[in-house]
Amino acid sequence: MKTAILSVGTELLFGQIVNTNAVFLSKELNNMGFDVMYHHTVGDNPGRLASMITSTIEDVDMILVTGGLGPTQDDLTKEVACNVFEDELIINEKILDQISEYFVRTGRNMTENNAKQALVPSRATVFHNDAGTAPGFALEKDGKYIICMPGPPREMTHMFEISVKPFLEKMSDGFMRYKLLRLYGIGESLLETKLLDIIDGQTDPTVATYAKEGECQLRIASKRSSAEEADKAVQDMVDVISERVGEYIFSYDNEELVDVVGRMLLEKKLTIASAESCTGGLFAAALTDIPGISQTFKAGFVTYSNEAKVRELGVNEETLAKYGAVSEETAKEMVEGLAKVTGCDVCVSVTGIAGPGGGTEEKPVGLVYIGFKYGDKCFVTKKLGAGASRKWIRNHTLLGILDIVRRNI
């Protein structure tokens, strides 16, 4: 069943709020087997809203609308939907009583314009709003549907789960399941090359590659007659892909790399410490965003200057003089000194040139050395992010540190 999502609200067009409703509904509809063909956004203008509904319903079987159901004069979604679907608005006494009870329960006075929210199309299936006052509804004409829900995300998601989803399940012609795999250490072009025969020959499941800053993503999706069949089809394809590029996959469930690493450290009960120069504490900050990480993360040093490297980590002044702060030798002494100072199971260090200035022909902007120590394992990895911005270099370096930890613990 082809569907479209229509978001109503001038504030969305002004960029004053982020449209999380469309993201939520797309995920839910796809999982239920509905094909989402369009996302549209229109302001609080009845003419443009009517035009958008009229043109969109020509190409889809159903439109899900969020927003414009409130009590104010610019809330005109149901009036417009009612006109396009050739119905009339009537007072629903049950809804009016529920709105009145809501105001009594919350200790507020109900103004006259709130009664407007009890007006609903005469042919509609009405959805009560347990989280607010504006009801939603589904309206059908000539086998086409429009489903209208309130705009506030808390109200919309609650109404969808309680009322709209059960309504839609009766119309679903299949079940969609998907997994989002996330990979680090391989570019999108190489990833596609390794999976080219699968991508070229795909029918169901479908496989698509996406590039994200510093990583790649693979979306594997299947639509089948039952949820069990769709789940199996997706998992079978995941197994095939894992055999080819499994070393790069850090999550099979759309997790952030830092969360994967944090969970591994906690599960293995390993303590960790960091010594950062060019990243300025990004690694420590990322880890400490994880609840409960204090059980494993014990210390984070930002040794930005040479003096700090010597004083805090015991880096040899002769090493700095001979090889420079950005060198394999300095990164190694940093991580070894960190291990001595903290006694942690896992230690990481990083030093580099984030730019935009400070680079030379021998040591260009983007040159980074990452030190790692865990038990008897101690090494330094060199990375180069030439031509990138300072922010990109720092963020990519953070991912590099995390991936080294992931692969070696």
Side-chain angles (χ1 to χ4, degrees):
M1 194 172 191
K2 295 193 294 184
T3 63
I5 296 169
L6 175 56
S7 307
V8 180
T10 304
E11 68 276 9
L12 292 168
L13 296 175
F14 285 176
Q16 293 173 334
I17 60 173
V18 177
N19 191 356
T20 58
N21 285 344
V23 175
F24 171 84
L25 289 173
S26 278
K27 290 179 180 178
E28 291 292 332
L29 291 170
N30 274 290
N31 282 338
M32 295 175 69
F34 293 96
D35 299 315
V36 179
M37 312 303 293
Y38 305 105
H39 280 195
H40 293 306
T41 303
V42 65
D44 299 305
N45 180 286
R48 286 192 285 272
L49 178 56
S51 177
M52 182 63 71
I53 293 174
T54 302
S55 61
T56 303
I57 202 63
E58 291 284 328
D59 198 35
V60 299
D61 304 300
M62 178 171 62
I63 304 175
L64 277 81
V65 184
T66 61
L69 296 181
T72 60
Q73 291 184 353
D74 62 352
D75 290 313
L76 297 169
T77 294
K78 64 185 171 187
E79 287 84 352
V80 173
C82 201
N83 288 336
V84 175
F85 275 66
E86 298 180 352
D87 199 357
E88 62 178 347
L89 292 173
I90 61 171
I91 283 285
N92 184 305
E93 295 295 339
K94 183 178 179 181
I95 292 294
L96 184 59
D97 289 343
Q98 289 171 343
I99 293 172
S100 300
E101 289 170 7
Y102 176 86
F103 278 92
V104 171
R105 190 169 66 250
T106 56
R108 293 183 292 162
N109 293 323
M110 178 176 161
T111 56
E112 272 188 42
N113 58 357
N114 276 285
K116 170 192 172 187
Q117 295 176 104
L119 286 166
V120 294
S122 66
R123 304 194 314 267
T125 299
V126 179
F127 305 127
H128 175 56
N129 187 349
D130 290 323
T133 55
F137 62 86
L139 186 59
E140 181 268 341
K141 177 177 176 285
D142 298 330
K144 305 255 184 168
Y145 288 85
I146 188 165
I147 295 178
C148 297
M149 294 173 284
R154 184 178 67 88
E155 296 182 33
M156 187 279 296
T157 54
H158 185 74
M159 181 179 291
F160 184 88
E161 292 290 350
I162 299 299
S163 303
V164 177
K165 191 171 184 177
F167 179 85
L168 293 175
E169 284 173 344
K170 300 173 185 176
M171 298 190 289
S172 177
D173 59 356
F175 291 83
M176 178 72 78
R177 291 291 186 269
Y178 70 90
K179 272 189 176 290
L180 191 65
L181 279 53
R182 299 178 65 168
L183 305 87
Y184 177 83
I186 184 171
E188 186 181 19
S189 58
L190 179 57
L191 177 61
E192 185 181 71
T193 299
K194 287 181 175 290
L195 303 176
L196 196 57
D197 60 316
I198 295 175
I199 294 172
D200 284 347
Q202 65 182 310
T203 51
D204 184 310
T206 58
V207 179
T209 62
Y210 305 94
K212 185 182 176 183
E213 185 173 327
E215 67 175 77
C216 287
Q217 299 181 349
L218 270 173
R219 186 179 188 271
I220 304 166
S222 177
K223 183 179 180 181
R224 301 292 172 102
S225 58
S226 72
E228 292 76 17
E229 289 178 313
D231 285 332
K232 185 178 185 307
V234 169
Q235 189 56 54
D236 287 347
M237 182 58 73
V238 168
D239 293 341
V240 171
I241 289 173
S242 293
E243 289 180 4
R244 299 195 188 185
V245 295
E247 64 177 298
Y248 303 106
I249 300 172
F250 65 81
S251 174
Y252 291 86
D253 296 301
N254 193 23
E255 300 167 285
E256 296 292 338
L257 182 51
V258 65
D259 294 320
V260 172
V261 170
R263 187 181 67 250
M264 291 175 68
L265 289 165
L266 288 166
E267 288 175 352
K268 294 174 180 289
K269 298 181 179 179
L270 296 173
T271 57
I272 187 169
S274 61
E276 303 177 64
S277 184
C278 61
T279 49
L282 280 180
F283 178 82
L287 270 189
T288 53
D289 275 341
I290 302 172
I293 202 66
S294 59
Q295 297 175 49
T296 180
F297 183 63
K298 298 304 177 184
F301 292 85
V302 179
T303 53
Y304 213 67
S305 66
N306 285 356
E307 293 79 10
K309 292 178 178 66
V310 173
R311 182 180 65 251
E312 305 295 341
L313 305 172
V315 174
N316 198 308
E317 291 182 350
E318 285 75 15
T319 301
L320 290 165
K322 184 176 181 179
Y323 301 103
V326 181
S327 64
E328 178 179 349
E329 292 78 7
T330 295
K332 188 169 187 293
E333 289 193 15
M334 286 173 68
V335 79
E336 289 175 336
L338 182 65
K340 290 178 182 177
V341 170
T342 64
C344 286
D345 301 314
V346 181
C347 289
V348 294
S349 68
V350 58
T351 180
I353 304 171
T360 65
E361 187 174 340
E362 181 183 353
K363 295 183 178 182
V365 170
L367 175 64
V368 172
Y369 291 96
I370 300 169
F372 177 84
K373 184 169 176 29
Y374 173 40
D376 295 333
K377 188 182 294 186
C378 186
F379 61 84
V380 175
T381 297
K382 177 182 177 181
K383 290 186 173 292
L384 190 60
S389 69
R390 180 180 180 85
K391 182 179 179 181
W392 186 94
I393 291 168
R394 283 159 53 90
N395 287 335
H396 192 68
T397 300
L398 169 61
L399 292 176
I401 301 169
L402 289 166
D403 193 59
I404 287 171
V405 176
R406 178 187 72 85
R407 288 173 178 266
N408 288 279
I409 63 169

